[in-house]
PDB file of all heavy atoms in Angstrom:
ATOM      1  N   VAL D   1      -6.196   7.821   2.448  1.00 98.00           N
ATOM      2  CA  VAL D   1      -4.951   7.640   3.186  1.00 98.00           C
ATOM      3  C   VAL D   1      -3.764   8.013   2.308  1.00 98.00           C
ATOM      4  O   VAL D   1      -2.831   8.668   2.760  1.00 98.00           O
ATOM      5  CB  VAL D   1      -4.836   6.189   3.689  1.00 98.00           C
ATOM      6  CG1 VAL D   1      -3.451   5.917   4.256  1.00 98.00           C
ATOM      7  CG2 VAL D   1      -5.903   5.903   4.725  1.00 98.00           C
ATOM      8  N   SER D   2      -3.808   7.611   1.053  1.00 97.00           N
ATOM      9  CA  SER D   2      -2.679   7.835   0.152  1.00 97.00           C
ATOM     10  C   SER D   2      -3.096   8.733  -1.005  1.00 97.00           C
ATOM     11  O   SER D   2      -4.248   8.708  -1.435  1.00 97.00           O
ATOM     12  CB  SER D   2      -2.190   6.493  -0.396  1.00 97.00           C
ATOM     13  OG  SER D   2      -1.155   6.684  -1.342  1.00 97.00           O
ATOM     14  N   ASN D   3      -2.142   9.488  -1.526  1.00 97.00           N
ATOM     15  CA  ASN D   3      -2.384  10.260  -2.748  1.00 97.00           C
ATOM     16  C   ASN D   3      -2.347   9.358  -3.978  1.00 97.00           C
ATOM     17  O   ASN D   3      -2.834   9.724  -5.033  1.00 97.00           O
ATOM     18  CB  ASN D   3      -1.351  11.378  -2.898  1.00 97.00           C
ATOM     19  CG  ASN D   3      -1.527  12.450  -1.853  1.00 97.00           C
ATOM     20  OD1 ASN D   3      -2.641  12.715  -1.400  1.00 97.00           O
ATOM     21  ND2 ASN D   3      -0.432  13.051  -1.429  1.00 97.00           N
ATOM     22  N   THR D   4      -1.740   8.174  -3.830  1.00 98.00           N
ATOM     23  CA  THR D   4      -1.642   7.200  -4.912  1.00 98.00           C
ATOM     24  C   THR D   4      -2.821   6.247  -4.841  1.00 98.00           C
ATOM     25  O   THR D   4      -3.219   5.820  -3.763  1.00 98.00           O
ATOM     26  CB  THR D   4      -0.329   6.396  -4.791  1.00 98.00           C
ATOM     27  OG1 THR D   4       0.769   7.312  -4.809  1.00 98.00           O
ATOM     28  CG2 THR D   4      -0.189   5.396  -5.925  1.00 98.00           C
ATOM     29  N   TRP D   5      -3.374   5.908  -5.993  1.00 98.00           N
ATOM     30  CA  TRP D   5      -4.407   4.877  -6.093  1.00 98.00           C
ATOM     31  C   TRP D   5      -3.742   3.619  -6.620  1.00 98.00           C
ATOM     32  O   TRP D   5      -2.946   3.665  -7.555  1.00 98.00           O
ATOM     33  CB  TRP D   5      -5.533   5.359  -7.008  1.00 98.00           C
ATOM     34  CG  TRP D   5      -6.371   6.399  -6.324  1.00 98.00           C
ATOM     35  CD1 TRP D   5      -6.042   7.708  -6.104  1.00 98.00           C
ATOM     36  CD2 TRP D   5      -7.641   6.199  -5.735  1.00 98.00           C
ATOM     37  NE1 TRP D   5      -7.045   8.346  -5.417  1.00 98.00           N
ATOM     38  CE2 TRP D   5      -8.049   7.443  -5.177  1.00 98.00           C
ATOM     39  CE3 TRP D   5      -8.492   5.104  -5.614  1.00 98.00           C
ATOM     40  CZ2 TRP D   5      -9.257   7.597  -4.520  1.00 98.00           C
ATOM     41  CZ3 TRP D   5      -9.705   5.269  -4.965  1.00 98.00           C
ATOM     42  CH2 TRP D   5     -10.077   6.503  -4.419  1.00 98.00           C
ATOM     43  N   PHE D   6      -4.081   2.466  -6.022  1.00 98.00           N
ATOM     44  CA  PHE D   6      -3.361   1.219  -6.253  1.00 98.00           C
ATOM     45  C   PHE D   6      -4.207   0.208  -7.023  1.00 98.00           C
ATOM     46  O   PHE D   6      -5.431   0.304  -7.070  1.00 98.00           O
ATOM     47  CB  PHE D   6      -2.933   0.625  -4.912  1.00 98.00           C
ATOM     48  CG  PHE D   6      -2.038   1.541  -4.129  1.00 98.00           C
ATOM     49  CD1 PHE D   6      -2.556   2.347  -3.125  1.00 98.00           C
ATOM     50  CD2 PHE D   6      -0.689   1.621  -4.410  1.00 98.00           C
ATOM     51  CE1 PHE D   6      -1.741   3.200  -2.404  1.00 98.00           C
ATOM     52  CE2 PHE D   6       0.146   2.470  -3.698  1.00 98.00           C
ATOM     53  CZ  PHE D   6      -0.385   3.269  -2.690  1.00 98.00           C
ATOM     54  N   ASP D   7      -3.506  -0.801  -7.579  1.00 98.00           N
ATOM     55  CA  ASP D   7      -4.194  -1.898  -8.258  1.00 98.00           C
ATOM     56  C   ASP D   7      -4.854  -2.843  -7.250  1.00 98.00           C
ATOM     57  O   ASP D   7      -5.906  -3.401  -7.518  1.00 98.00           O
ATOM     58  CB  ASP D   7      -3.213  -2.692  -9.130  1.00 98.00           C
ATOM     59  CG  ASP D   7      -2.583  -1.826 -10.208  1.00 98.00           C
ATOM     60  OD1 ASP D   7      -3.268  -0.921 -10.737  1.00 98.00           O
ATOM     61  OD2 ASP D   7      -1.389  -2.048 -10.527  1.00 98.00           O
ATOM     62  N   GLU D   8      -4.210  -3.028  -6.107  1.00 98.00           N
ATOM     63  CA  GLU D   8      -4.755  -3.819  -5.004  1.00 98.00           C
ATOM     64  C   GLU D   8      -4.313  -3.167  -3.712  1.00 98.00           C
ATOM     65  O   GLU D   8      -3.272  -2.503  -3.654  1.00 98.00           O
ATOM     66  CB  GLU D   8      -4.258  -5.266  -5.040  1.00 98.00           C
ATOM     67  CG  GLU D   8      -4.812  -6.081  -6.189  1.00 98.00           C
ATOM     68  CD  GLU D   8      -4.400  -7.547  -6.106  1.00 98.00           C
ATOM     69  OE1 GLU D   8      -4.413  -8.108  -4.999  1.00 98.00           O
ATOM     70  OE2 GLU D   8      -4.071  -8.099  -7.172  1.00 98.00           O
ATOM     71  N   ILE D   9      -5.115  -3.394  -2.671  1.00 98.00           N
ATOM     72  CA  ILE D   9      -4.766  -2.839  -1.358  1.00 98.00           C
ATOM     73  C   ILE D   9      -5.356  -3.737  -0.286  1.00 98.00           C
ATOM     74  O   ILE D   9      -6.420  -4.323  -0.465  1.00 98.00           O
ATOM     75  CB  ILE D   9      -5.261  -1.373  -1.226  1.00 98.00           C
ATOM     76  CG1 ILE D   9      -4.599  -0.656  -0.068  1.00 98.00           C
ATOM     77  CG2 ILE D   9      -6.773  -1.321  -1.138  1.00 98.00           C
ATOM     78  CD1 ILE D   9      -4.742   0.861  -0.133  1.00 98.00           C
ATOM     79  N   GLY D  10      -4.624  -3.871   0.811  1.00 96.00           N
ATOM     80  CA  GLY D  10      -5.113  -4.632   1.954  1.00 96.00           C
ATOM     81  C   GLY D  10      -5.455  -3.698   3.101  1.00 96.00           C
ATOM     82  O   GLY D  10      -5.162  -2.500   3.048  1.00 96.00           O
ATOM     83  N   TYR D  11      -6.066  -4.258   4.119  1.00 95.00           N
ATOM     84  CA  TYR D  11      -6.334  -3.464   5.318  1.00 95.00           C
ATOM     85  C   TYR D  11      -5.083  -3.387   6.169  1.00 95.00           C
ATOM     86  O   TYR D  11      -4.167  -4.190   6.034  1.00 95.00           O
ATOM     87  CB  TYR D  11      -7.502  -4.075   6.107  1.00 95.00           C
ATOM     88  CG  TYR D  11      -8.825  -3.683   5.521  1.00 95.00           C
ATOM     89  CD1 TYR D  11      -9.575  -4.575   4.771  1.00 95.00           C
ATOM     90  CD2 TYR D  11      -9.310  -2.389   5.683  1.00 95.00           C
ATOM     91  CE1 TYR D  11     -10.775  -4.196   4.215  1.00 95.00           C
ATOM     92  CE2 TYR D  11     -10.501  -2.004   5.127  1.00 95.00           C
ATOM     93  CZ  TYR D  11     -11.234  -2.903   4.394  1.00 95.00           C
ATOM     94  OH  TYR D  11     -12.413  -2.515   3.832  1.00 95.00           O
ATOM     95  N   PHE D  12      -5.063  -2.419   7.069  1.00 95.00           N
ATOM     96  CA  PHE D  12      -3.913  -2.257   7.946  1.00 95.00           C
ATOM     97  C   PHE D  12      -3.796  -3.445   8.890  1.00 95.00           C
ATOM     98  O   PHE D  12      -4.768  -3.883   9.495  1.00 95.00           O
ATOM     99  CB  PHE D  12      -4.012  -0.950   8.737  1.00 95.00           C
ATOM    100  CG  PHE D  12      -3.717   0.253   7.901  1.00 95.00           C
ATOM    101  CD1 PHE D  12      -4.731   1.079   7.474  1.00 95.00           C
ATOM    102  CD2 PHE D  12      -2.417   0.541   7.525  1.00 95.00           C
ATOM    103  CE1 PHE D  12      -4.466   2.180   6.689  1.00 95.00           C
ATOM    104  CE2 PHE D  12      -2.136   1.642   6.739  1.00 95.00           C
ATOM    105  CZ  PHE D  12      -3.162   2.460   6.325  1.00 95.00           C
ATOM    106  N   CYS D  13      -2.582  -3.944   8.976  1.00 92.00           N
ATOM    107  CA  CYS D  13      -2.246  -5.040   9.876  1.00 92.00           C
ATOM    108  C   CYS D  13      -0.963  -4.619  10.585  1.00 92.00           C
ATOM    109  O   CYS D  13       0.058  -4.399   9.919  1.00 92.00           O
ATOM    110  CB  CYS D  13      -2.054  -6.324   9.071  1.00 92.00           C
ATOM    111  SG  CYS D  13      -1.568  -7.741  10.048  1.00 92.00           S
ATOM    112  N   ASN D  14      -1.046  -4.426  11.871  1.00 93.00           N
ATOM    113  CA  ASN D  14       0.099  -3.959  12.661  1.00 93.00           C
ATOM    114  C   ASN D  14       0.660  -2.641  12.125  1.00 93.00           C
ATOM    115  O   ASN D  14       1.874  -2.427  12.097  1.00 93.00           O
ATOM    116  CB  ASN D  14       1.188  -5.037  12.719  1.00 93.00           C
ATOM    117  CG  ASN D  14       0.719  -6.275  13.451  1.00 93.00           C
ATOM    118  OD1 ASN D  14       0.194  -6.171  14.557  1.00 93.00           O
ATOM    119  ND2 ASN D  14       0.869  -7.431  12.842  1.00 93.00           N
ATOM    120  N   GLY D  15      -0.231  -1.770  11.664  1.00 94.00           N
ATOM    121  CA  GLY D  15       0.171  -0.422  11.257  1.00 94.00           C
ATOM    122  C   GLY D  15       0.519  -0.231   9.793  1.00 94.00           C
ATOM    123  O   GLY D  15       0.825   0.884   9.373  1.00 94.00           O
ATOM    124  N   TYR D  16       0.472  -1.314   8.997  1.00 96.00           N
ATOM    125  CA  TYR D  16       0.854  -1.214   7.593  1.00 96.00           C
ATOM    126  C   TYR D  16      -0.147  -1.952   6.709  1.00 96.00           C
ATOM    127  O   TYR D  16      -0.656  -3.003   7.081  1.00 96.00           O
ATOM    128  CB  TYR D  16       2.252  -1.796   7.364  1.00 96.00           C
ATOM    129  CG  TYR D  16       3.304  -1.109   8.188  1.00 96.00           C
ATOM    130  CD1 TYR D  16       3.725  -1.659   9.387  1.00 96.00           C
ATOM    131  CD2 TYR D  16       3.842   0.101   7.768  1.00 96.00           C
ATOM    132  CE1 TYR D  16       4.673  -1.017  10.163  1.00 96.00           C
ATOM    133  CE2 TYR D  16       4.788   0.752   8.534  1.00 96.00           C
ATOM    134  CZ  TYR D  16       5.195   0.197   9.739  1.00 96.00           C
ATOM    135  OH  TYR D  16       6.123   0.840  10.499  1.00 96.00           O
ATOM    136  N   ALA D  17      -0.394  -1.389   5.531  1.00 97.00           N
ATOM    137  CA  ALA D  17      -1.273  -2.034   4.552  1.00 97.00           C
ATOM    138  C   ALA D  17      -0.450  -2.415   3.326  1.00 97.00           C
ATOM    139  O   ALA D  17       0.372  -1.631   2.848  1.00 97.00           O
ATOM    140  CB  ALA D  17      -2.403  -1.090   4.150  1.00 97.00           C
ATOM    141  N   ARG D  18      -0.699  -3.631   2.839  1.00 97.00           N
ATOM    142  CA  ARG D  18      -0.039  -4.091   1.613  1.00 97.00           C
ATOM    143  C   ARG D  18      -0.687  -3.373   0.423  1.00 97.00           C
ATOM    144  O   ARG D  18      -1.900  -3.233   0.375  1.00 97.00           O
ATOM    145  CB  ARG D  18      -0.179  -5.594   1.445  1.00 97.00           C
ATOM    146  CG  ARG D  18       0.438  -6.381   2.553  1.00 97.00           C
ATOM    147  CD  ARG D  18       0.288  -7.890   2.440  1.00 97.00           C
ATOM    148  NE  ARG D  18      -1.015  -8.301   1.955  1.00 97.00           N
ATOM    149  CZ  ARG D  18      -1.208  -9.217   1.007  1.00 97.00           C
ATOM    150  NH1 ARG D  18      -0.196  -9.826   0.438  1.00 97.00           N
ATOM    151  NH2 ARG D  18      -2.414  -9.558   0.633  1.00 97.00           N
ATOM    152  N   VAL D  19       0.127  -2.938  -0.532  1.00 98.00           N
ATOM    153  CA  VAL D  19      -0.379  -2.278  -1.737  1.00 98.00           C
ATOM    154  C   VAL D  19       0.329  -2.835  -2.956  1.00 98.00           C
ATOM    155  O   VAL D  19       1.504  -3.211  -2.901  1.00 98.00           O
ATOM    156  CB  VAL D  19      -0.195  -0.740  -1.672  1.00 98.00           C
ATOM    157  CG1 VAL D  19      -1.056  -0.130  -0.581  1.00 98.00           C
ATOM    158  CG2 VAL D  19       1.266  -0.343  -1.494  1.00 98.00           C
ATOM    159  N   LYS D  20      -0.417  -2.908  -4.056  1.00 98.00           N
ATOM    160  CA  LYS D  20       0.144  -3.405  -5.313  1.00 98.00           C
ATOM    161  C   LYS D  20      -0.050  -2.331  -6.376  1.00 98.00           C
ATOM    162  O   LYS D  20      -1.135  -1.772  -6.528  1.00 98.00           O
ATOM    163  CB  LYS D  20      -0.564  -4.684  -5.738  1.00 98.00           C
ATOM    164  CG  LYS D  20      -0.026  -5.289  -7.015  1.00 98.00           C
ATOM    165  CD  LYS D  20      -0.784  -6.550  -7.372  1.00 98.00           C
ATOM    166  CE  LYS D  20      -0.255  -7.203  -8.623  1.00 98.00           C
ATOM    167  NZ  LYS D  20      -1.067  -8.375  -9.002  1.00 98.00           N
ATOM    168  N   LEU D  21       1.030  -2.086  -7.126  1.00 98.00           N
ATOM    169  CA  LEU D  21       0.995  -1.122  -8.220  1.00 98.00           C
ATOM    170  C   LEU D  21       1.912  -1.630  -9.320  1.00 98.00           C
ATOM    171  O   LEU D  21       3.079  -1.956  -9.050  1.00 98.00           O
ATOM    172  CB  LEU D  21       1.429   0.263  -7.728  1.00 98.00           C
ATOM    173  CG  LEU D  21       1.276   1.414  -8.706  1.00 98.00           C
ATOM    174  CD1 LEU D  21      -0.186   1.626  -9.105  1.00 98.00           C
ATOM    175  CD2 LEU D  21       1.810   2.702  -8.078  1.00 98.00           C
ATOM    176  N   ASN D  22       1.393  -1.720 -10.518  1.00 97.00           N
ATOM    177  CA  ASN D  22       2.190  -2.188 -11.661  1.00 97.00           C
ATOM    178  C   ASN D  22       2.860  -3.528 -11.375  1.00 97.00           C
ATOM    179  O   ASN D  22       4.050  -3.705 -11.620  1.00 97.00           O
ATOM    180  CB  ASN D  22       3.224  -1.135 -12.072  1.00 97.00           C
ATOM    181  CG  ASN D  22       2.556   0.174 -12.436  1.00 97.00           C
ATOM    182  OD1 ASN D  22       1.486   0.197 -13.037  1.00 97.00           O
ATOM    183  ND2 ASN D  22       3.190   1.280 -12.042  1.00 97.00           N
ATOM    184  N   ARG D  23       2.096  -4.457 -10.816  1.00 98.00           N
ATOM    185  CA  ARG D  23       2.531  -5.835 -10.556  1.00 98.00           C
ATOM    186  C   ARG D  23       3.571  -5.973  -9.452  1.00 98.00           C
ATOM    187  O   ARG D  23       4.175  -7.029  -9.281  1.00 98.00           O
ATOM    188  CB  ARG D  23       3.035  -6.512 -11.827  1.00 98.00           C
ATOM    189  CG  ARG D  23       1.989  -6.617 -12.894  1.00 98.00           C
ATOM    190  CD  ARG D  23       2.529  -7.385 -14.060  1.00 98.00           C
ATOM    191  NE  ARG D  23       1.508  -7.404 -15.113  1.00 98.00           N
ATOM    192  CZ  ARG D  23       1.723  -7.822 -16.323  1.00 98.00           C
ATOM    193  NH1 ARG D  23       2.906  -8.252 -16.677  1.00 98.00           N
ATOM    194  NH2 ARG D  23       0.750  -7.810 -17.213  1.00 98.00           N
ATOM    195  N   LYS D  24       3.838  -4.939  -8.717  1.00 98.00           N
ATOM    196  CA  LYS D  24       4.806  -4.996  -7.617  1.00 98.00           C
ATOM    197  C   LYS D  24       4.116  -4.563  -6.322  1.00 98.00           C
ATOM    198  O   LYS D  24       3.157  -3.787  -6.337  1.00 98.00           O
ATOM    199  CB  LYS D  24       6.008  -4.082  -7.887  1.00 98.00           C
ATOM    200  CG  LYS D  24       6.859  -4.522  -9.069  1.00 98.00           C
ATOM    201  CD  LYS D  24       7.597  -5.804  -8.748  1.00 98.00           C
ATOM    202  CE  LYS D  24       8.569  -6.179  -9.873  1.00 98.00           C
ATOM    203  NZ  LYS D  24       9.378  -7.334  -9.534  1.00 98.00           N
ATOM    204  N   TRP D  25       4.665  -5.051  -5.202  1.00 98.00           N
ATOM    205  CA  TRP D  25       4.065  -4.836  -3.885  1.00 98.00           C
ATOM    206  C   TRP D  25       4.968  -4.002  -2.984  1.00 98.00           C
ATOM    207  O   TRP D  25       6.185  -4.041  -3.088  1.00 98.00           O
ATOM    208  CB  TRP D  25       3.818  -6.181  -3.208  1.00 98.00           C
ATOM    209  CG  TRP D  25       2.731  -6.973  -3.858  1.00 98.00           C
ATOM    210  CD1 TRP D  25       2.852  -7.836  -4.902  1.00 98.00           C
ATOM    211  CD2 TRP D  25       1.353  -6.973  -3.501  1.00 98.00           C
ATOM    212  NE1 TRP D  25       1.639  -8.379  -5.222  1.00 98.00           N
ATOM    213  CE2 TRP D  25       0.687  -7.872  -4.364  1.00 98.00           C
ATOM    214  CE3 TRP D  25       0.603  -6.323  -2.526  1.00 98.00           C
ATOM    215  CZ2 TRP D  25      -0.667  -8.122  -4.289  1.00 98.00           C
ATOM    216  CZ3 TRP D  25      -0.757  -6.573  -2.440  1.00 98.00           C
ATOM    217  CH2 TRP D  25      -1.377  -7.459  -3.322  1.00 98.00           C
ATOM    218  N   ASN D  26       4.301  -3.285  -2.075  1.00 98.00           N
ATOM    219  CA  ASN D  26       4.973  -2.499  -1.060  1.00 98.00           C
ATOM    220  C   ASN D  26       4.009  -2.392   0.122  1.00 98.00           C
ATOM    221  O   ASN D  26       2.957  -3.020   0.124  1.00 98.00           O
ATOM    222  CB  ASN D  26       5.332  -1.112  -1.615  1.00 98.00           C
ATOM    223  CG  ASN D  26       6.506  -0.465  -0.910  1.00 98.00           C
ATOM    224  OD1 ASN D  26       6.766  -0.708   0.262  1.00 98.00           O
ATOM    225  ND2 ASN D  26       7.217   0.378  -1.644  1.00 98.00           N
ATOM    226  N   PHE D  27       4.344  -1.559   1.064  1.00 98.00           N
ATOM    227  CA  PHE D  27       3.476  -1.261   2.197  1.00 98.00           C
ATOM    228  C   PHE D  27       3.302   0.237   2.303  1.00 98.00           C
ATOM    229  O   PHE D  27       4.208   0.998   1.950  1.00 98.00           O
ATOM    230  CB  PHE D  27       4.104  -1.729   3.521  1.00 98.00           C
ATOM    231  CG  PHE D  27       4.261  -3.201   3.630  1.00 98.00           C
ATOM    232  CD1 PHE D  27       5.461  -3.804   3.299  1.00 98.00           C
ATOM    233  CD2 PHE D  27       3.224  -3.990   4.088  1.00 98.00           C
ATOM    234  CE1 PHE D  27       5.623  -5.173   3.413  1.00 98.00           C
ATOM    235  CE2 PHE D  27       3.374  -5.364   4.209  1.00 98.00           C
ATOM    236  CZ  PHE D  27       4.580  -5.949   3.867  1.00 98.00           C
ATOM    237  N   ILE D  28       2.160   0.657   2.807  1.00 98.00           N
ATOM    238  CA  ILE D  28       1.986   2.056   3.207  1.00 98.00           C
ATOM    239  C   ILE D  28       1.677   2.070   4.693  1.00 98.00           C
ATOM    240  O   ILE D  28       1.126   1.114   5.247  1.00 98.00           O
ATOM    241  CB  ILE D  28       0.872   2.784   2.417  1.00 98.00           C
ATOM    242  CG1 ILE D  28      -0.480   2.079   2.571  1.00 98.00           C
ATOM    243  CG2 ILE D  28       1.273   2.971   0.956  1.00 98.00           C
ATOM    244  CD1 ILE D  28      -1.665   2.890   2.017  1.00 98.00           C
ATOM    245  N   ASP D  29       2.048   3.179   5.327  1.00 97.00           N
ATOM    246  CA  ASP D  29       1.677   3.361   6.728  1.00 97.00           C
ATOM    247  C   ASP D  29       0.351   4.119   6.784  1.00 97.00           C
ATOM    248  O   ASP D  29      -0.253   4.406   5.740  1.00 97.00           O
ATOM    249  CB  ASP D  29       2.795   4.069   7.499  1.00 97.00           C
ATOM    250  CG  ASP D  29       3.138   5.447   6.964  1.00 97.00           C
ATOM    251  OD1 ASP D  29       2.329   6.046   6.218  1.00 97.00           O
ATOM    252  OD2 ASP D  29       4.228   5.941   7.295  1.00 97.00           O
ATOM    253  N   THR D  30      -0.107   4.451   7.958  1.00 95.00           N
ATOM    254  CA  THR D  30      -1.431   5.064   8.116  1.00 95.00           C
ATOM    255  C   THR D  30      -1.510   6.506   7.614  1.00 95.00           C
ATOM    256  O   THR D  30      -2.598   7.064   7.555  1.00 95.00           O
ATOM    257  CB  THR D  30      -1.898   5.014   9.585  1.00 95.00           C
ATOM    258  OG1 THR D  30      -0.926   5.655  10.407  1.00 95.00           O
ATOM    259  CG2 THR D  30      -2.113   3.576  10.032  1.00 95.00           C
ATOM    260  N   ILE D  31      -0.379   7.082   7.235  1.00 95.00           N
ATOM    261  CA  ILE D  31      -0.423   8.407   6.601  1.00 95.00           C
ATOM    262  C   ILE D  31      -0.164   8.302   5.097  1.00 95.00           C
ATOM    263  O   ILE D  31       0.024   9.304   4.415  1.00 95.00           O
ATOM    264  CB  ILE D  31       0.533   9.428   7.266  1.00 95.00           C
ATOM    265  CG1 ILE D  31       1.984   8.953   7.213  1.00 95.00           C
ATOM    266  CG2 ILE D  31       0.105   9.715   8.686  1.00 95.00           C
ATOM    267  CD1 ILE D  31       2.985  10.015   7.639  1.00 95.00           C
ATOM    268  N   GLY D  32      -0.148   7.061   4.576  1.00 96.00           N
ATOM    269  CA  GLY D  32      -0.054   6.844   3.137  1.00 96.00           C
ATOM    270  C   GLY D  32       1.343   6.821   2.572  1.00 96.00           C
ATOM    271  O   GLY D  32       1.524   6.751   1.356  1.00 96.00           O
ATOM    272  N   LYS D  33       2.356   6.856   3.429  1.00 97.00           N
ATOM    273  CA  LYS D  33       3.748   6.870   2.962  1.00 97.00           C
ATOM    274  C   LYS D  33       4.220   5.442   2.728  1.00 97.00           C
ATOM    275  O   LYS D  33       4.029   4.554   3.553  1.00 97.00           O
ATOM    276  CB  LYS D  33       4.634   7.544   4.011  1.00 97.00           C
ATOM    277  CG  LYS D  33       6.069   7.677   3.574  1.00 97.00           C
ATOM    278  CD  LYS D  33       6.878   8.427   4.621  1.00 97.00           C
ATOM    279  CE  LYS D  33       8.281   8.588   4.100  1.00 97.00           C
ATOM    280  NZ  LYS D  33       9.276   8.005   4.938  1.00 97.00           N
ATOM    281  N   CYS D  34       4.865   5.218   1.568  1.00 97.00           N
ATOM    282  CA  CYS D  34       5.455   3.910   1.286  1.00 97.00           C
ATOM    283  C   CYS D  34       6.571   3.624   2.276  1.00 97.00           C
ATOM    284  O   CYS D  34       7.387   4.495   2.584  1.00 97.00           O
ATOM    285  CB  CYS D  34       6.002   3.848  -0.137  1.00 97.00           C
ATOM    286  SG  CYS D  34       4.738   3.539  -1.374  1.00 97.00           S
ATOM    287  N   VAL D  35       6.618   2.395   2.762  1.00 95.00           N
ATOM    288  CA  VAL D  35       7.600   1.989   3.749  1.00 95.00           C
ATOM    289  C   VAL D  35       8.980   1.818   3.122  1.00 95.00           C
ATOM    290  O   VAL D  35      10.000   2.143   3.712  1.00 95.00           O
ATOM    291  CB  VAL D  35       7.146   0.676   4.426  1.00 95.00           C
ATOM    292  CG1 VAL D  35       8.223   0.102   5.318  1.00 95.00           C
ATOM    293  CG2 VAL D  35       5.872   0.922   5.209  1.00 95.00           C
ATOM    294  N   SER D  36       9.011   1.339   1.882  1.00 96.00           N
ATOM    295  CA  SER D  36      10.276   1.030   1.229  1.00 96.00           C
ATOM    296  C   SER D  36      10.353   1.722  -0.125  1.00 96.00           C
ATOM    297  O   SER D  36       9.337   1.919  -0.785  1.00 96.00           O
ATOM    298  CB  SER D  36      10.383  -0.492   1.038  1.00 96.00           C
ATOM    299  OG  SER D  36      11.530  -0.820   0.285  1.00 96.00           O
TER     300      SER D  36
END
């Protein structure tokens, strides 16, 4: 889904998956784009 590999990742919930990288969290959409 993403070109980035993460330290942690969740499954999609309402279209977004939680991702952790370098101790910080964000979301990706189903095409792997960070939401924020």
Side-chain angles (χ1 to χ4, degrees):
V1 171
S2 176
N3 291 329
T4 302
W5 286 75
F6 300 98
D7 299 325
E8 291 186 41
I9 196 164
Y11 279 104
F12 285 105
C13 178
N14 295 310
Y16 301 98
R18 299 179 320 134
V19 294
K20 181 180 181 184
L21 188 61
N22 302 322
R23 299 184 183 170
K24 294 291 186 175
W25 290 87
N26 205 331
F27 295 95
I28 58 170
D29 60 18
T30 57
I31 59 170
K33 184 177 183 239
C34 279
V35 172
S36 174

